[in-house]
Amino acid sequence: MNLTDGPALHARFLRGLAVSPDRLAVRLGAESLTYTEVHRRALSWAGALLAGPGEPPEVIGVLAGKGVEAYVAILAGLYTGRTVVPLRSDFPVARTRRMLEVAGVQAVIADRFGLANLVELAAEGLDLPVLAPGHGLDEAGLLRGLPLRGIALDERDALTEPRPVSATDRAYVLFTSGSTGTPKGVPISHGSTHHYFELLDRRYDFNADDIFSQTFDVNFDCAVFDMFCAWGAGATLLALPNEAYHDLPGYLTQQGVTVWFSTPSAISLVRRTRGLKSDSMPGLRWSLFAGEALRAADATDWQDAAPNSTLENIYGPTELTVTVTGYRWDRDTSPVLCVNGLTPIGTVHEGHDFVLLAPNGVPSLTEGELCITGPQMTTGYLDPTDDQGRFLEHEGRRWYRTGDRVRQHGNGVLVYLGRLDAQVQVQGWRVELAEIDHALRVCAGVQDAVAVAREGANGTELVVFYVGEKSPPAELARQLREVLPHSMVPRHYRHVAEFPLNANRKVDRGLLARQAAAELEAVAA
């Protein structure tokens, strides 16, 4: 059997290897590896994991910072034919421990950042064998100088080829935030990724000459898009260092980046550094955004700066395998389809069905909660108790409830309206925070804005955080009263230099809401 065929996610790397054996597969700063070098290391590491100690692990964690080692480790985990769990080395140790336990991780590949986490966990009694390339073992089988059981790296154990998998086997597990504060494990099968990437191959013209940006950390599902779209085409994956954002257009031009993918927050960041000038990113062929709502104004400005690229807004929760809709921006026809200044998320992927549920649970043809079923849908969370409220049975099929409110245009295009939990009641009025955000963004001098709710002495009140020119609160309120009902006009305004971003480079609305609540508590004290 040709290993580049079949459902295996890592078959895409093998395709790239066949096309570009001597081309760089991954690069970060001065570190880089060719396809052949990555393949050999992954076979070596995979063989070491399967050789011991003890029984071969069924679930393999990757605990590493953003670097070349992390990408090789993910591929090595896939080459074993087992399940891979990418984790962040800078997460709190207690959170990491919880994810390791929930996923049933039995062995870990770690870099020097991950090792620091594991030493802390070992002190608390967690005992997992660790593959740490570059670290030898002492006579007791521990990593030299560390209280961790080591896995020996012996080239005699190296695999000659990746182990086979079936479509129903789990490729990876990623964790999303849970409403209770406990992360939820989402298993994704090789079959789901196979459907996904076959569709992407038909949608995009990626080729071996492309250089893909890699802005996401490996525990974020959008990183799966970057890795396996690039590797499936024999292209180069370029992991961006933080300093690249100081002059992003200059960096992309210097590095020859042709495919850009990030959250929309990157657009505001480039705007603040005065990088969104006309034709400042002429080398981009594709500009892709996901993870947050994409503002029409941001799409327009980015398109002006990257006029040779096709811009798409792609959408999907982790539970539906990275992204499950797509919308191609057109400066002439797209603006009239926007709602609250937000770009449409497009049409649902081929092979999937969707239904919009009204608040009373009855299907609607126009607006409601987006529910989707199809081959990209996970079978359920690692902890079945997390399934409650997130999946439903409808017309004899199982559907995933996204928790997102969308509107359907007559042409079948979907537009994101906001999270169901982003709707708040203020003085008896049902208020959509996204609508306030949009109204604020058209106020004079405001570049971007986020409205949050907090509980005050007189009930729910709205607090605004905004970037741009600082304006008197009374002036902002005056402008908002021209477009919003009086009860929807916030009373509190906070000018900030920039918005805080969470680990996935999305605007951290939760942190802003906590800051607003803390301000009120400080005044009361």
Side-chain angles (χ1 to χ4, degrees), residues 98 180 182 184 380-391:
R98 170 66 178 166
T180 62
T182 301
K184 297 188 294 186
Y381 297 107
L382 291 181
D383 184 346
T385 61
D386 289 329
D387 290 357
Q388 186 174 2
R390 293 264 51 94
F391 295 88

Side-chain angles (χ1 to χ4, degrees), residues 144-307:
R144 230 170 233 118
L146 297 173
L148 300 171
R149 278 196 297 147
I151 297 175
L153 192 58
D154 189 330
E155 290 306 313
R156 291 172 295 182
D157 296 324
L159 300 183
T160 57
E161 61 183 24
R163 292 291 173 85
V165 297
S166 70
T168 56
D169 288 338
R170 291 175 178 174
Y172 60 82
V173 170
L174 294 176
F175 283 86
T176 65
S177 297
S179 58
T180 62
T182 301
K184 297 188 294 186
V186 183
I188 299 295
S189 71
H190 286 277
S192 292
T193 60
H194 184 62
H195 179 95
Y196 180 61
F197 284 106
E198 279 201 326
L199 184 145
L200 297 187
D201 285 342
R202 296 191 296 271
R203 188 178 185 91
Y204 304 114
D205 64 348
F206 301 144
N207 61 67
D209 292 326
D210 279 319
I211 296 178
F212 283 66
S213 70
Q214 217 291 289
T215 65
F216 304 102
D217 289 293
V218 294
N219 71 313
F220 189 15
D221 60 349
C222 288
V224 176
F225 178 105
D226 292 330
M227 284 187 279
F228 293 97
C229 277
W231 291 344
T236 297
L237 184 69
L238 176 68
L240 266 67
N242 291 332
E243 55 268 24
Y245 293 93
H246 298 162
D247 175 18
L248 189 63
Y251 182 85
L252 298 184
T253 299
Q254 179 190 44
Q255 301 296 329
V257 174
T258 58
V259 181
W260 173 263
F261 186 24
S262 74
T263 61
S265 292
I267 302 177
S268 298
L269 179 60
V270 178
R271 181 183 289 113
R272 290 198 297 275
T273 58
R274 304 184 184 278
L276 283 184
K277 298 176 182 177
S278 179
D279 203 23
S280 62
M281 295 179 283
L284 292 182
R285 297 197 314 114
W286 289 97
S287 297
L288 309 168
F289 297 95
E292 295 174 305
L294 174 63
R295 295 169 49 203
D298 284 345
T300 298
D301 288 351
W302 186 277
Q303 188 76 82
D304 287 342

Side-chain angles (χ1 to χ4, degrees), residues 7-74:
L9 177 56
H10 51 268
R12 296 189 62 81
F13 184 88
L14 299 180
R15 280 173 46 181
L17 174 67
V19 171
S20 306
D22 300 320
R23 193 183 296 266
L24 293 183
V26 61
R27 178 157 57 92
L28 173 58
E31 290 185 282
S32 64
L33 291 173
T34 67
Y35 275 84
T36 297
E37 290 169 334
V38 171
H39 180 60
R40 287 174 178 165
R41 288 195 191 187
L43 288 173
S44 175
W45 296 5
L49 288 163
L50 295 175
E55 292 295 318
E58 293 295 328
V59 183
I60 297 162
V62 173
L63 189 56
K66 192 174 182 181
V68 169
E69 281 183 299
Y71 300 104
V72 178
I74 288 172

